[in-house]
Amino acid sequence: MAAARWAAALVTLAVAGLAAGPRGCGAQPVVLASYGQDRLWLQPYDWSYLRVELPQSFSSITMDFITDRDTPREHLKDLPRGDLAIICLMIANPPIPDTSDYYLDKLLSNFLDVGSFGNTNNQSMAQCIPFQKNTTIVLTNEQISPGVWYIGYFNGLGPARTQSKMISRGRARSVSTSITVEGCPTSALWGPYCNQTIEMIGCSRFSRYNNSRNLLDLNIDLRRTLNTSENNRRTNFVSRSNHLTRQQLDSNTTALLRAENLITCSISNDSLCFRQGDMKFYFLDIVSLELQFEITAANFGLLQSSSLICYMRYNAFPQRDLHDYSGDISRAPLVIKLPNIGRWYIAMETVNRTQMNNTSSTPMLEITCFSFDWQVTGCLNGKAGINCSWQSYVLQRVPKRNPSVPFESYYVPTGGRASLEYSHFSLEQFLSNSSSEQFAWTYFFFDVPQGSAGALIHVQLKSDKELDYELYSKYGGLPSNDSWDYYASRTSSSNGSIFFSLRNSTNSDMDLSIFYAKEGTWCFGVKHPNDTSNFQTLMSVSLQGCHRNCNQKGVCHSSVDESGLTFYSFCICDRDHGGFDCSDELVSPNGHMWQSVFLIASNAAAILPAFWALRQKAFAEWILYTSSGISSALYHSCDVGTWCILSFHVLQFLDFWLSFMAVIGTFIYMATIKEDSKRAMHTAVFILTAILAATGATRSANISIVVAIGSLGLLVGWLLEFSTARRFTCCSWRIDLNVPPRWPNFGALFWNTLDKLNKRFHWLYLLFGFITLSFAAISWKLESNSTYWIWHSLWHISIYTSSFFFLCSMRLNTANHSPVTNYELTRQDSLQRTESGET
């Protein structure tokens, strides 16, 4: 990096000693932030995110989730993936649930045992729980670290359909969320229960140049010294004292220039004092990419049998059994190589060595005093690496013109060595050189802006020769052979993460993507041979929306999380593909052809009821069945991607509306009522079925609603027919006190009704109609994303066939609109009259 950046304040030192008070004696926490969401509806295979920011001073977070589902825990493992709704939590980037059998089994098993989020200390994986009726989760700052967290809501999982919004069947789910973040009321209190007091420690800086020189002046002198000395000198910046020293590092007389700034911290008498067994806490903010920092104890006056144990943890309070690093700094300094950017918490305690092996012994109550200091080491003049021997560059972000998503941009090196007009740059002119090692490193730093955690980082290398480069990436730190987040080379990669993709790479190019990149500083390290003079490699680093523009198998869209603070992108794939970039083939070309044939050709079953209606001169029903079959064929032709005569939503509405009308119209036709009553019932049914098709056409409950409406129409038609067939006379005003000789014979009425029904219908056809109608309902219920084509094709055939059987079940001589017998009698009378006249 530039020397001016390193000469600025590299670290922010904030030192505090925390003396733990009695549990339960702390102050009442106060609310720092809160969030409430009344109801979030998730359609099948739908998802959404919520961004939650936890400040450094928070003590606990309470999350309440209320859903419309209450599946017993013992039945969770029996649910299919498409019916599994979960809530996931992850730090720094939106979560993507792992849909492997191992992960889901582990997730459900952990929830059955614990009933809450799993080990939230494992922040590299999403922690998930299934939907339950009421779930309350309380996490303290010992269980969850501060920073930006994302809550993901997922309704239905699938290896190909998670993160691709497609046409899916299923049931919508709702979830309400309430989140409260609490913290301590004053800065003098700390801890998850605000029962620990903070005692600020006075710190002073010792510098020989604190009266006449500052860090920027020191940086200018460093540059002058480097320019007058030999090339390839390495520079370290150490926050101990502003003092220049030179040290011979190798046979090439490479000089190490070190600026030191000594910071001494103490309570009294230049020392810190506390009893054995007590633990004190401190923290250190690293704001730039550093080489290392080390902690050293001084003036340690303990007995030979005691040790000063130091625990360190990144972004969270360390504990004896939960920390990132630990060591006995009374014997040797604790050194952390390549620390990540952020806050590091430090805990110290004095322990008797005999107690370390025997925990049952009584702790000693002697007071021990000591002093300690730490130093943070970095590199100047665009250098990086363990010995400050490799080149490092800052990449500046250049937003794209007219981007398709809000955060699209690309990165190029600063300093004028690369053009801002092009999204790529020549890599060889930036590579490091080393004469003593076989491989060299070159580092590139860039920032992912806030609010774009739903983007992906795309890195591409294209060379005119066979690539022998390796790419290491790390968030918030310098990557190395031993420490990295993602790795890629020509022959291998870290493909174990669902956030990483390396595809279409050959011997001369490399193409990798990091999905849903975390906000903040990223570093890419290029490991390469020293001799790269004959290479010509172009490198591009960009921030994009959808990977490979959904591979031309879908459309890239962007959305905003529920808080409105973060954009995220996703692909809306066609019916044959799924996944992040629509690269997962769900249906082969041959399978697509056969599915299209079945879904479209199965609508030919509408010919059966349409032909019957035309033959009986029921023209209204004929138009209804014919238009229903044609609209369904056109809708599924558009659905499978063959041809769309109208928009998809218009075709979907017509298909379901006319299908509902065809079912109900069949029931109304069987009532054999007068035309004026039939028109009134049809008008009411038109309105009801249009509302059903417009508000939720694919709901499974529509089948029951349509059958209920049809049955009600048939019943009303029969009642109308019965009321017109019976003649009622008005009651006489004369009061007759005589008791009727007998009550009406209800048994005779019942048998007369059965006799009329027997004369009205062919019961065998009626039975076939109900059987095929039941099979249609079963086909609708069994439809899933993988078997949609076959079950929906059978739905077409069975629903039209059931209408045909219901129509055939009617005896025509009893139908009002087909008076065949009366027509024959009239024709015979006319013939007889004609013959008598002629005679």
Side-chain angles (χ1 to χ4, degrees), residues 712-727:
L712 181 62
L714 180 60
L715 179 61
V716 172
W718 282 348
L719 292 176
L720 291 175
E721 183 181 354
F722 179 77
S723 64
T724 56
R726 302 275 298 178
R727 295 182 179 273

PDB file of all heavy atoms in Angstrom, residues 712-727:
ATOM      1  N   LEU A 712     -73.216 -27.104  -4.930  1.00  0.00           N
ATOM      2  CA  LEU A 712     -74.245 -26.161  -4.494  1.00  0.00           C
ATOM      3  C   LEU A 712     -75.120 -25.718  -5.657  1.00  0.00           C
ATOM      4  O   LEU A 712     -76.353 -25.609  -5.517  1.00  0.00           O
ATOM      5  CB  LEU A 712     -73.581 -24.953  -3.838  1.00  0.00           C
ATOM      6  CG  LEU A 712     -74.528 -23.861  -3.306  1.00  0.00           C
ATOM      7  CD1 LEU A 712     -75.425 -24.432  -2.207  1.00  0.00           C
ATOM      8  CD2 LEU A 712     -73.726 -22.663  -2.786  1.00  0.00           C
ATOM      9  N   GLY A 713     -74.489 -25.476  -6.818  1.00  0.00           N
ATOM     10  CA  GLY A 713     -75.284 -25.113  -7.988  1.00  0.00           C
ATOM     11  C   GLY A 713     -76.231 -26.215  -8.413  1.00  0.00           C
ATOM     12  O   GLY A 713     -77.382 -25.958  -8.808  1.00  0.00           O
ATOM     13  N   LEU A 714     -75.765 -27.461  -8.343  1.00  0.00           N
ATOM     14  CA  LEU A 714     -76.633 -28.594  -8.684  1.00  0.00           C
ATOM     15  C   LEU A 714     -77.795 -28.698  -7.704  1.00  0.00           C
ATOM     16  O   LEU A 714     -78.953 -28.931  -8.098  1.00  0.00           O
ATOM     17  CB  LEU A 714     -75.807 -29.878  -8.686  1.00  0.00           C
ATOM     18  CG  LEU A 714     -76.558 -31.175  -9.014  1.00  0.00           C
ATOM     19  CD1 LEU A 714     -77.188 -31.110 -10.397  1.00  0.00           C
ATOM     20  CD2 LEU A 714     -75.630 -32.374  -8.900  1.00  0.00           C
ATOM     21  N   LEU A 715     -77.532 -28.511  -6.428  1.00  0.00           N
ATOM     22  CA  LEU A 715     -78.582 -28.586  -5.413  1.00  0.00           C
ATOM     23  C   LEU A 715     -79.602 -27.471  -5.599  1.00  0.00           C
ATOM     24  O   LEU A 715     -80.826 -27.705  -5.525  1.00  0.00           O
ATOM     25  CB  LEU A 715     -77.955 -28.520  -4.026  1.00  0.00           C
ATOM     26  CG  LEU A 715     -78.932 -28.571  -2.838  1.00  0.00           C
ATOM     27  CD1 LEU A 715     -79.707 -29.887  -2.848  1.00  0.00           C
ATOM     28  CD2 LEU A 715     -78.173 -28.402  -1.518  1.00  0.00           C
ATOM     29  N   VAL A 716     -79.095 -26.242  -5.855  1.00  0.00           N
ATOM     30  CA  VAL A 716     -80.017 -25.130  -6.075  1.00  0.00           C
ATOM     31  C   VAL A 716     -80.852 -25.369  -7.323  1.00  0.00           C
ATOM     32  O   VAL A 716     -82.068 -25.076  -7.363  1.00  0.00           O
ATOM     33  CB  VAL A 716     -79.229 -23.808  -6.168  1.00  0.00           C
ATOM     34  CG1 VAL A 716     -80.136 -22.668  -6.599  1.00  0.00           C
ATOM     35  CG2 VAL A 716     -78.580 -23.485  -4.833  1.00  0.00           C
ATOM     36  N   GLY A 717     -80.236 -25.929  -8.357  1.00  0.00           N
ATOM     37  CA  GLY A 717     -80.999 -26.224  -9.573  1.00  0.00           C
ATOM     38  C   GLY A 717     -82.095 -27.239  -9.336  1.00  0.00           C
ATOM     39  O   GLY A 717     -83.218 -27.101  -9.843  1.00  0.00           O
ATOM     40  N   TRP A 718     -81.771 -28.256  -8.555  1.00  0.00           N
ATOM     41  CA  TRP A 718     -82.803 -29.252  -8.247  1.00  0.00           C
ATOM     42  C   TRP A 718     -83.923 -28.644  -7.415  1.00  0.00           C
ATOM     43  O   TRP A 718     -85.108 -28.962  -7.594  1.00  0.00           O
ATOM     44  CB  TRP A 718     -82.188 -30.429  -7.511  1.00  0.00           C
ATOM     45  CG  TRP A 718     -81.450 -31.361  -8.426  1.00  0.00           C
ATOM     46  CD1 TRP A 718     -81.476 -31.376  -9.778  1.00  0.00           C
ATOM     47  CD2 TRP A 718     -80.572 -32.413  -8.020  1.00  0.00           C
ATOM     48  NE1 TRP A 718     -80.668 -32.358 -10.278  1.00  0.00           N
ATOM     49  CE2 TRP A 718     -80.101 -33.030  -9.225  1.00  0.00           C
ATOM     50  CE3 TRP A 718     -80.129 -32.900  -6.802  1.00  0.00           C
ATOM     51  CZ2 TRP A 718     -79.229 -34.108  -9.214  1.00  0.00           C
ATOM     52  CZ3 TRP A 718     -79.277 -33.979  -6.786  1.00  0.00           C
ATOM     53  CH2 TRP A 718     -78.817 -34.578  -7.977  1.00  0.00           C
ATOM     54  N   LEU A 719     -83.588 -27.771  -6.472  1.00  0.00           N
ATOM     55  CA  LEU A 719     -84.619 -27.129  -5.667  1.00  0.00           C
ATOM     56  C   LEU A 719     -85.513 -26.252  -6.519  1.00  0.00           C
ATOM     57  O   LEU A 719     -86.752 -26.212  -6.333  1.00  0.00           O
ATOM     58  CB  LEU A 719     -83.981 -26.310  -4.540  1.00  0.00           C
ATOM     59  CG  LEU A 719     -83.273 -27.097  -3.438  1.00  0.00           C
ATOM     60  CD1 LEU A 719     -82.610 -26.151  -2.445  1.00  0.00           C
ATOM     61  CD2 LEU A 719     -84.248 -28.015  -2.708  1.00  0.00           C
ATOM     62  N   LEU A 720     -84.902 -25.538  -7.478  1.00  0.00           N
ATOM     63  CA  LEU A 720     -85.716 -24.720  -8.380  1.00  0.00           C
ATOM     64  C   LEU A 720     -86.630 -25.590  -9.240  1.00  0.00           C
ATOM     65  O   LEU A 720     -87.799 -25.256  -9.458  1.00  0.00           O
ATOM     66  CB  LEU A 720     -84.805 -23.864  -9.271  1.00  0.00           C
ATOM     67  CG  LEU A 720     -84.031 -22.735  -8.573  1.00  0.00           C
ATOM     68  CD1 LEU A 720     -83.090 -22.062  -9.555  1.00  0.00           C
ATOM     69  CD2 LEU A 720     -84.996 -21.716  -7.976  1.00  0.00           C
ATOM     70  N   GLU A 721     -86.062 -26.690  -9.725  1.00  0.00           N
ATOM     71  CA  GLU A 721     -86.881 -27.593 -10.528  1.00  0.00           C
ATOM     72  C   GLU A 721     -88.007 -28.201  -9.707  1.00  0.00           C
ATOM     73  O   GLU A 721     -89.149 -28.327 -10.168  1.00  0.00           O
ATOM     74  CB  GLU A 721     -85.993 -28.693 -11.113  1.00  0.00           C
ATOM     75  CG  GLU A 721     -86.732 -29.653 -12.025  1.00  0.00           C
ATOM     76  CD  GLU A 721     -85.826 -30.744 -12.553  1.00  0.00           C
ATOM     77  OE1 GLU A 721     -84.608 -30.653 -12.276  1.00  0.00           O
ATOM     78  OE2 GLU A 721     -86.310 -31.669 -13.227  1.00  0.00           O
ATOM     79  N   PHE A 722     -87.732 -28.562  -8.469  1.00  0.00           N
ATOM     80  CA  PHE A 722     -88.737 -29.159  -7.603  1.00  0.00           C
ATOM     81  C   PHE A 722     -89.824 -28.150  -7.245  1.00  0.00           C
ATOM     82  O   PHE A 722     -91.008 -28.482  -7.192  1.00  0.00           O
ATOM     83  CB  PHE A 722     -88.073 -29.689  -6.334  1.00  0.00           C
ATOM     84  CG  PHE A 722     -89.032 -30.316  -5.355  1.00  0.00           C
ATOM     85  CD1 PHE A 722     -89.532 -31.590  -5.581  1.00  0.00           C
ATOM     86  CD2 PHE A 722     -89.450 -29.623  -4.222  1.00  0.00           C
ATOM     87  CE1 PHE A 722     -90.416 -32.173  -4.683  1.00  0.00           C
ATOM     88  CE2 PHE A 722     -90.326 -30.196  -3.335  1.00  0.00           C
ATOM     89  CZ  PHE A 722     -90.814 -31.485  -3.562  1.00  0.00           C
ATOM     90  N   SER A 723     -89.410 -26.889  -7.037  1.00  0.00           N
ATOM     91  CA  SER A 723     -90.400 -25.869  -6.657  1.00  0.00           C
ATOM     92  C   SER A 723     -91.330 -25.535  -7.802  1.00  0.00           C
ATOM     93  O   SER A 723     -92.510 -25.235  -7.592  1.00  0.00           O
ATOM     94  CB  SER A 723     -89.683 -24.614  -6.175  1.00  0.00           C
ATOM     95  OG  SER A 723     -88.916 -24.040  -7.229  1.00  0.00           O
ATOM     96  N   THR A 724     -90.858 -25.580  -9.034  1.00  0.00           N
ATOM     97  CA  THR A 724     -91.733 -25.306 -10.173  1.00  0.00           C
ATOM     98  C   THR A 724     -92.609 -26.486 -10.523  1.00  0.00           C
ATOM     99  O   THR A 724     -93.685 -26.331 -11.107  1.00  0.00           O
ATOM    100  CB  THR A 724     -90.885 -24.932 -11.392  1.00  0.00           C
ATOM    101  OG1 THR A 724     -89.932 -25.978 -11.656  1.00  0.00           O
ATOM    102  CG2 THR A 724     -90.126 -23.630 -11.155  1.00  0.00           C
ATOM    103  N   ALA A 725     -92.183 -27.703 -10.185  1.00  0.00           N
ATOM    104  CA  ALA A 725     -92.983 -28.886 -10.487  1.00  0.00           C
ATOM    105  C   ALA A 725     -94.147 -29.037  -9.521  1.00  0.00           C
ATOM    106  O   ALA A 725     -95.195 -29.607  -9.854  1.00  0.00           O
ATOM    107  CB  ALA A 725     -92.130 -30.144 -10.460  1.00  0.00           C
ATOM    108  N   ARG A 726     -94.010 -28.565  -8.271  1.00  0.00           N
ATOM    109  CA  ARG A 726     -95.074 -28.660  -7.270  1.00  0.00           C
ATOM    110  C   ARG A 726     -95.959 -27.428  -7.340  1.00  0.00           C
ATOM    111  O   ARG A 726     -95.471 -26.313  -7.532  1.00  0.00           O
ATOM    112  CB  ARG A 726     -94.456 -28.762  -5.874  1.00  0.00           C
ATOM    113  CG  ARG A 726     -93.527 -29.941  -5.687  1.00  0.00           C
ATOM    114  CD  ARG A 726     -94.258 -31.198  -5.309  1.00  0.00           C
ATOM    115  NE  ARG A 726     -94.947 -31.043  -4.042  1.00  0.00           N
ATOM    116  CZ  ARG A 726     -95.699 -32.012  -3.510  1.00  0.00           C
ATOM    117  NH1 ARG A 726     -95.835 -33.163  -4.136  1.00  0.00           N
ATOM    118  NH2 ARG A 726     -96.311 -31.804  -2.344  1.00  0.00           N
ATOM    119  N   ARG A 727     -97.189 -27.615  -7.212  1.00  0.00           N
ATOM    120  CA  ARG A 727     -98.141 -26.505  -7.217  1.00  0.00           C
ATOM    121  C   ARG A 727     -98.651 -26.303  -5.801  1.00  0.00           C
ATOM    122  O   ARG A 727     -99.193 -27.227  -5.210  1.00  0.00           O
ATOM    123  CB  ARG A 727     -99.307 -26.769  -8.162  1.00  0.00           C
ATOM    124  CG  ARG A 727     -98.900 -26.855  -9.623  1.00  0.00           C
ATOM    125  CD  ARG A 727    -100.108 -27.063 -10.502  1.00  0.00           C
ATOM    126  NE  ARG A 727     -99.726 -27.121 -11.904  1.00  0.00           N
ATOM    127  CZ  ARG A 727     -99.601 -26.055 -12.680  1.00  0.00           C
ATOM    128  NH1 ARG A 727     -99.814 -24.853 -12.196  1.00  0.00           N
ATOM    129  NH2 ARG A 727     -99.247 -26.184 -13.949  1.00  0.00           N
TER     130      ARG A 727
END
